[in-house]
Amino acid sequence: MWKVLAAQPTTALGPGGTLIGPPVTAVRWKSLGEMIRLMAQSLETGTPMPYSGRYSRVPQRHEGLPSHLTWVLEETREHQPEGERATPEDQLVTAAWERLRVWLRLRAPESYASLRPGASDRRIEQAEQRLGFPLPAPLRALWTLNDGVTGSSAGAFLNGLALMPIETALETCEFLADEMPGWGPRWVPFTADTVDEPRAGDFIDCDTGLTGTWARDEEPRMHHTPEGGLTLPGALAHIVEVVMAGTDLSMPLMGRGSARGVAVGLLMVEEPRD
């Protein structure tokens, strides 16, 4: 699709005519159409677009005013120092959620419109004070990006579940702690079937980072995969990959098996027979 040309000397020179910084290699596309196709693919999936032999460009939505799309230059993985290649879980959540937001904005604008603004650090600190313990970094990152969704069904795009606003999550957590036998002392619900009257959803164990499922009329249970437990970054990455696959695929890791489709601007998840 693309190839890296031989390095060309940079025009930035230091004293004595020495080069400043490493030489930059270029990417040459087979055609303008090929470049536009890969750019569109990058926009839809949030995956890096080749920029040079060392760097890629990653699309991100700038939330400032006016809101606009920007491309962030990132060093490719093979050029990062060995000790910096492990990505923290909060960054994995941020990357997956950003990909999902770009996709929703392009393909399911009504679902995108259901997203609430991100929570401030102060708001998250207040939530931690109310809980009596710190939130795990992945959940903090997620709520910093978007403090849940509005009460409409448009927000139920996480395998038929919706990201709860912080206040709703705290109220639900207090209810479950009082009413549900076996509810862990440091478990926090973060998704629900509806954010107006939550009756089922997912929770995270703030000690281990593993997630599980809860329902008002059932015993809570942890999610399980062939590799073991399921973390928030792992669960979110799986959902994002399924959403962006472009076909109806089962999503068994979180909740019941289901299929996804877009109608009237909404990303909806239903039973396959429906």
Side-chain angles (χ1 to χ4, degrees):
M1 294 182 183
W2 57 277
K3 61 181 180 179
V4 179
L5 302 180
Q8 301 296 325
T10 177
T11 55
L13 300 178
T18 58
L19 297 177
I20 298 177
V24 177
T25 55
V27 172
R28 172 172 291 176
W29 314 100
K30 294 172 61 175
S31 66
L32 177 60
E34 179 74 3
M35 182 190 75
I36 293 176
R37 185 186 69 79
L38 290 175
M39 184 179 294
Q41 177 179 302
S42 180
L43 285 171
E44 290 185 0
T45 64
T47 55
M49 181 178 180
Y51 176 73
S52 72
R54 181 167 182 171
Y55 296 96
S56 297
R57 286 193 180 276
V58 180
Q60 289 187 8
R61 182 174 183 268
H62 181 69
E63 300 290 348
L65 295 176
S67 177
H68 62 277
L69 176 70
T70 185
W71 293 79
V72 178
L73 196 65
E74 292 186 357
E75 195 169 29
T76 55
R77 185 177 178 85
E78 57 267 24
H79 287 94
Q80 296 175 355
E82 194 69 33
E84 299 179 5
R85 294 185 184 180
T87 305
E89 288 195 331
D90 56 337
Q91 293 184 26
L92 293 174
V93 165
T94 298
W97 194 253
E98 289 286 6
R99 291 181 64 194
L100 181 59
R101 291 201 300 188
V102 170
W103 192 96
L104 291 174
R105 188 183 184 200
L106 294 173
R107 299 295 186 85
E110 293 299 321
S111 292
Y112 177 81
S114 72
L115 294 169
R116 290 162 49 96
S120 65
D121 290 340
R122 177 57 182 159
R123 180 68 187 96
I124 293 178
E125 290 171 1
Q126 291 172 342
E128 292 176 326
Q129 292 171 2
R130 183 167 164 182
L131 289 167
F133 52 84
L135 293 169
L139 186 55
R140 288 179 61 102
L142 190 54
W143 271 331
T144 298
L145 292 168
N146 289 106
D147 185 9
V149 299
T150 59
S152 68
S153 60
F157 49 76
L158 296 177
N159 198 19
L161 300 174
L163 177 65
M164 285 195 287
I166 292 176
E167 184 62 29
T168 306
L170 294 176
E171 293 174 355
T172 304
C173 185
E174 292 166 353
F175 172 84
L176 295 174
D178 291 336
E179 301 294 333
M180 180 174 288
W183 183 257
R186 293 165 73 94
W187 291 359
V188 175
F190 63 94
T191 67
D193 50 350
T194 170
V195 298
D196 293 325
E197 296 182 5
R199 301 196 61 82
D202 297 302
F203 68 86
I204 186 169
D205 184 334
C206 294
D207 285 331
T208 66
L210 298 178
T211 61
T213 182
W214 65 272
R216 293 198 179 196
D217 55 351
E218 298 177 6
E219 287 291 324
R221 66 181 191 276
M222 304 304 295
H223 290 300
H224 291 289
T225 68
E227 294 76 25
L230 186 64
T231 64
L232 176 54
L236 188 57
H238 177 76
I239 290 176
V240 171
E241 290 301 324
V242 169
V243 166
M244 294 182 177
T247 57
D248 290 342
L249 297 174
S250 63
M251 294 189 284
L253 292 184
M254 299 180 71
R256 61 186 181 179
S258 50
R260 115 202 195 322
V262 177
V264 294
L266 302 177
L267 173 60
M268 296 184 290
V269 181
E270 304 289 348
E271 289 286 350
R273 63 175 178 270
D274 297 333

